[in-house]
Amino acid sequence: MSGREAILGKVRNALAANGSASDRQQVVTERLETAPKGIVPARGKLKPAQRVALFRSMAEQVSCTVRQVKKRDTIPRAVMEYLRSKNLPAALRMGDDRRLTRLPWADFHTLDIKTGPSDGDDLSGISYASGGIAETGTVMLQSGSDNPTTINFLPEHHIVVVDAKDIAGDLETLYAKLRRKFGRGGMPRVVNLITGPSRSGDVEQKIVLGAHGPRAVHIIIVDA
Amino acid sequence: MTQHTITSPAFKENARAALNNTQLQRALGNVEQGFIAKRSLAADALPEFDALRDNARDIKNHSLEHLDLYLEAYEAKVIETGGHVHWAQTAEDARGIVLDICRKVDAKIVTKSKSMITEEIGLNDFLEKSGIAPIETDLGEYIIQLRGEAPSHIIAPAVHVNKDEVEEAFRKAHDYLPGNRELEEPEQLLDEARRVLRAKYFEADIGITGANFLVAETGTSIVVTNEGNADLTQTLPRIHVVIASIEKIVPTLEDSAQILRVLARSATGQESSVYTTFSTGPRRPDDPDGPDQYHVILLDNGRSAMLGTEFQEMLRCIRCGACMNHCPVYHAVGGHAYGWVYPGPMGAVLTPSLIGVDKSGHLPNASTFCGRCESVCPMRIPLPKMMRHWREREFERGLNPATARYGLKFWAYFAKRPRLYHFAAAFGLPLLAFFGGRKRRLRKLPFAGGWTRHRDLPAPQTKSFLQQWQKHEARRRGGRT
């Protein structure tokens, strides 16, 4: 008997008294199809303006820096200012997300832009988030050539752009968005929820930023 | 190097050694100081926290009641997205499956993110013996790997280690770095670990992670970290192996959202962990990075035998560590004294289920039944009740020590003879109260050195409850007439 049959058999035997097989299957199928929502905290259900304000303050509480800009076109300037303020070289890694590649980067001809996944030598990388969560100050990123996963983790500084309209109150809203895009039961290869720069408290419980992932996360919120 | 020898039968000796270990006692102060206050702040900051705990409990109960069906649904989804599912009945089966995957690609280096399951199956030891180098990437796990130790806490594995001891371990292991470098502060230690391990992520052939949840709806494994080590572990090598026990299943993404809300708050007092990562299958055509192969090993190792028993509720555990953070016994002796992988109250219930109560009967007895563990458990697991179940089983099987059995018989002799009991109490209580003095604490007591060596015994009231009650009633009646 295979491990699979043995384990499932033991589980079935142990649960044998819990109703007929068809009833149980129906309960499970229904649950998987309806995905009932549960409790969303009140602070995850704010109106758009308050939502962005909460997102911002929650992100700052977990040591992100946040900047809000009016239009996408101003992202390159905001990025350059961030790099300068941190004394970082004018170099940036990004994927092929058109919301990023089409921006007027050429205005800053000293800026060295590399595209594709990070090779581990990048000091700064930029990604376009598919959403934000106000409840916790979290950004959501999806794998793919648009925004390669390695950019989320290898550079020392991670700049994340998120559109104000994509900032949801709660995680459940972003799940619903994923379902619309990938179909019921579908998911991108990786979804990263990121809440602040990487950190560790493993030496005497003292929280230190910059464990294995970025030492700093800079969020740029785009109003329109 | 990792120790997996079971020393649970020697809990008493372990505890004694721990109480006399000054380095350990200094480190344990951090548990009591840090975790409790942080959790309480986080819980108070979310008005819906207790309602979410109820939901989290109900979700896991539902999942466990339909576990076979959700496992099948989950498996189908993983296969549909191009992943492989392996079923392991025992620790040995799981180790064998890992080795097979390693052998097929001739793996030499395996990076690992923190996983209690791999501790449970003794994976590191086994891989080393098979000529494969396992490298722990969580800072705490890395520290104890260098020190040749097992974790002493399920979310803070090196909580028993002080920074000077970390420095010592790093200087010894990284002897190729300049000897005069500064390495006293946590920042410097973390920085050095970051640099050393960064190279390893790239060298590794296989990355092994655990899972906090397996989502049946989508075939997704979810892993939560603060360091980002699980992400580099699973993104850079060619192969990602997830090892998870069967009870990690939740039905839907929405269900994971409910439990995620109580997990980080209960564990570290964070509103959310830094990284919550959802992984579904291997690299896709559009992916410029990520693993070519995605494997999941589903481990039973004794869990199916807990279903349908009085210990089923233990399978709700999400390994947040809140129970041990709030446990006075854990605060006193630390995690290693428990003698196997899972310490604290959750270990006192789970360990007997997994390795047998004959080897671990001391653990459910190492409790004052103060109930703090249950009061903070995000999954509302009745830990004290289950420890009592283990004590009953132990007693039924005659496994507890002769002194305990004779002690109980001695007590039972009196308890069955109320007059004799009252007489003895009326004689004994004032005596103890007298020796307790004004502070009402006994610092020494004949035959009770095991108790009084490390703490005082509270002295009783002069009169027994019954005596006081009779007096109270007499006064009441007297007052009425």
Side-chain angles (χ1 to χ4, degrees):
Chain A
M1 189 164 49
S2 74
R4 180 183 190 278
E5 295 318 312
I7 292 171
L8 287 173
K10 277 194 242 171
V11 171
R12 260 183 222 116
N13 284 341
L15 300 173
N18 302 326
S20 80
S22 62
D23 287 355
R24 293 178 73 234
Q25 184 64 62
Q26 200 192 332
V27 168
V28 165
T29 310
E30 237 176 71
R31 177 127 185 169
L32 292 176
E33 272 168 16
T34 53
K37 215 181 192 185
I39 296 167
V40 172
R43 80 154 102 116
K45 296 189 280 200
L46 300 175
K47 299 248 179 325
Q50 295 166 292
R51 204 190 287 157
V52 173
L54 177 65
F55 171 80
R56 194 175 172 148
S57 86
M58 292 305 290
E60 282 166 351
Q61 273 178 43
V62 292
S63 309
C64 292
T65 49
V66 184
R67 169 142 189 212
Q68 212 159 340
V69 299
K70 292 259 179 293
K71 289 190 306 187
R72 245 179 225 169
D73 280 1
T74 52
I75 292 171
R77 175 168 299 280
V79 168
M80 282 304 284
E81 282 169 13
Y82 176 78
L83 296 180
R84 276 193 211 115
S85 76
K86 298 284 170 190
N87 279 326
L88 289 163
L92 194 62
R93 170 71 71 173
M94 68 174 73
D96 59 19
D97 191 317
R98 284 158 77 180
R99 292 173 296 180
L100 287 174
T101 53
R102 285 180 168 182
L103 296 175
W105 299 105
D107 294 354
F108 302 92
H109 46 86
T110 53
L111 184 64
D112 173 22
I113 292 183
K114 288 192 182 128
T115 49
S118 176
D119 52 14
D121 293 329
D122 308 302
L123 282 177
S124 310
I126 188 167
S127 312
Y128 219 109
S130 50
I133 304 168
E135 190 187 334
T136 45
T138 303
V139 287
M140 182 168 95
L141 291 137
Q142 290 169 27
S143 59
S145 65
D146 289 4
N147 294 287
T149 306
T150 38
I151 297 180
N152 304 343
F153 297 98
L154 288 171
E156 307 258 306
H157 292 257
H158 190 205
I159 302 169
V160 184
V161 184
V162 60
D163 287 339
K165 67 171 171 55
D166 291 335
I167 295 174
D170 56 350
L171 175 56
E172 281 81 348
T173 303
L174 296 187
Y175 282 159
K177 228 169 131 181
L178 283 171
R179 276 204 195 94
R180 279 199 298 277
K181 190 168 172 195
F182 294 89
R184 178 159 295 286
M187 280 286 269
R189 181 183 63 81
V190 166
V191 173
N192 292 123
L193 300 182
I194 300 178
T195 314
S198 102
R199 67 199 62 193
S200 175
D202 274 342
V203 180
E204 297 195 355
Q205 300 269 299
K206 184 179 175 196
I207 306 292
V208 184
L209 296 185
H212 296 279
R215 296 174 193 277
V217 172
H218 183 62
I219 298 176
I220 300 176
I221 303 173
V222 185
D223 285 339
Chain B
M1 287 292 287
T2 327
Q3 300 169 357
H4 287 287
T5 329
I6 297 169
T7 67
S8 305
F11 177 80
K12 283 188 172 179
E13 293 74 25
N14 295 349
R16 201 167 296 133
L19 287 163
N20 292 321
N21 182 337
T22 46
Q23 278 275 23
L24 174 68
Q25 290 301 321
R26 187 155 69 90
L28 284 173
N30 292 328
V31 178
E32 207 174 343
Q33 298 296 318
F35 283 123
I36 294 182
K38 286 183 200 162
R39 179 209 168 264
S40 134
L41 280 174
D44 292 347
L46 188 72
E48 296 87 352
F49 187 67
D50 280 333
L52 282 160
R53 287 171 70 192
D54 290 340
N55 256 13
R57 172 199 59 205
D58 296 347
I59 287 166
K60 275 284 189 177
N61 281 347
H62 169 85
S63 310
L64 292 170
E65 291 297 336
H66 302 86
L67 187 59
D68 50 334
L69 301 172
Y70 283 122
L71 281 167
E72 286 174 335
Y74 168 78
E75 179 194 36
K77 271 293 180 186
V78 175
I79 294 170
E80 191 187 309
T81 52
H84 304 270
V85 180
H86 311 263
W87 301 74
Q89 288 191 74
T90 62
E92 194 187 349
D93 291 353
R95 290 190 299 258
I97 294 164
V98 175
L99 186 61
D100 271 353
I101 298 171
C102 289
R103 291 266 194 259
K104 271 190 194 141
V105 293
D106 196 22
K108 298 279 186 297
I109 296 180
V110 171
T111 42
K112 285 183 65 212
S113 78
K114 212 183 111 40
S115 147
M116 290 310 297
I117 290 292
T118 63
E119 301 288 347
E120 180 182 324
I121 66 172
L123 185 63
N124 286 4
D125 235 6
F126 171 78
L127 287 177
E128 275 173 28
K129 283 186 188 127
S130 314
I132 297 161
I135 292 159
E136 294 289 352
T137 59
D138 171 83
L139 178 61
E141 286 284 343
Y142 181 63
I143 291 167
I144 58 167
Q145 188 180 28
L146 294 183
R147 286 165 55 89
E149 288 178 309
S152 71
H153 189 289
I154 60 172
I155 67 157
V159 77
H160 60 285
V161 185
N162 294 301
K163 62 184 181 184
D164 48 319
E165 296 169 303
V166 181
E167 178 183 353
E168 192 188 318
F170 277 20
R171 288 201 187 278
K172 199 168 146 211
H174 311 152
D175 54 2
Y176 47 89
L177 294 172
N180 60 357
R181 68 194 188 280
E182 300 228 346
L183 204 55
E184 286 80 40
E185 293 311 313
E187 290 81 356
Q188 295 158 342
L189 293 162
L190 177 65
D191 227 42
E192 181 158 313
R194 178 186 170 104
R195 265 179 291 132
V196 170
L197 290 170
R198 190 50 86 85
K200 301 291 181 191
Y201 291 120
F202 282 95
E203 283 174 49
D205 307 287
I206 294 178
I208 298 178
T209 70
N212 293 83
F213 307 96
L214 304 173
V215 185
E217 178 196 0
T218 52
T220 300
S221 55
I222 302 180
V223 66
V224 172
T225 74
N226 280 319
E227 297 186 6
N229 60 313
D231 291 282
L232 291 175
T233 297
Q234 69 173 59
T235 307
L236 296 174
R238 279 179 292 164
I239 299 174
H240 176 199
V241 179
V242 180
I243 310 184
S245 47
I246 51 175
E247 84 281 12
K248 293 285 163 194
I249 291 266
V250 291
T252 64
L253 291 172
E254 272 70 10
D255 294 320
S256 75
Q258 296 291 294
I259 307 179
L260 281 168
R261 285 195 177 92
V262 296
L263 172 58
R265 289 182 172 91
S266 303
T268 54
Q270 289 167 285
E271 303 264 342
S272 162
S273 303
V274 177
Y275 299 109
T276 304
T277 299
F278 301 69
S279 305
T280 313
R283 189 188 282 222
R284 300 188 185 170
D286 173 46
D287 273 327
D289 46 23
D292 296 325
Q293 292 179 34
Y294 175 83
H295 296 262
V296 183
I297 301 172
L298 294 172
L299 177 73
D300 180 347
N301 207 28
R303 278 139 181 104
S304 59
M306 293 165 71
L307 282 173
T309 74
E310 65 264 58
F311 301 109
Q312 175 166 325
E313 290 182 281
M314 189 60 217
L315 295 172
R316 289 204 300 266
C317 177
I318 52 172
R319 308 289 190 267
C320 70
C323 59
M324 58 198 74
N325 292 343
H326 290 75
C327 176
V329 177
Y330 183 93
H331 292 162
V333 301
H336 285 156
Y338 291 81
W340 196 53
V341 177
Y342 301 105
M346 58 78 66
V349 175
L350 189 61
T351 304
S353 298
L354 300 186
I355 66 172
V357 71
D358 52 327
K359 291 198 201 72
S360 52
H362 284 309
L363 307 191
N365 283 289
S367 163
T368 63
F369 279 177
C370 72
R372 270 166 108 185
C373 50
E374 183 177 355
S375 74
V376 296
C377 175
M379 307 306 288
R380 300 201 186 280
I381 299 170
L383 290 156
K385 185 178 93 183
M386 285 190 282
M387 283 185 236
R388 209 160 48 233
H389 287 320
W390 277 124
R391 291 187 191 185
E392 285 156 14
R393 284 208 186 179
E394 192 193 21
F395 191 82
E396 281 159 15
R397 290 173 54 186
L399 290 172
N400 39 4
T403 45
R405 302 184 78 81
Y406 286 126
L408 277 172
K409 275 193 185 146
F410 180 72
W411 175 80
Y413 180 85
F414 283 87
K416 281 189 238 162
R417 293 166 178 80
R419 276 167 192 246
L420 185 61
Y421 193 97
H422 295 316
F423 174 75
F427 172 75
L429 290 179
L431 202 65
L432 284 174
F434 173 77
F435 284 112
R438 235 180 314 158
K439 286 192 177 157
R440 313 197 69 87
R441 316 286 297 175
L442 289 156
R443 302 191 53 189
K444 268 192 181 152
L445 190 68
F447 306 112
W451 178 282
T452 55
R453 201 168 300 125
H454 295 289
R455 57 249 196 259
D456 296 344
L457 182 76
Q461 303 279 338
T462 325
K463 304 257 181 232
S464 73
F465 172 76
L466 267 179
Q467 285 171 322
Q468 292 184 53
W469 179 254
Q470 277 160 2
K471 203 170 153 193
H472 170 83
E473 286 293 283
R475 208 183 295 139
R476 199 169 60 98
R477 257 183 256 117
R480 208 188 291 155
T481 49

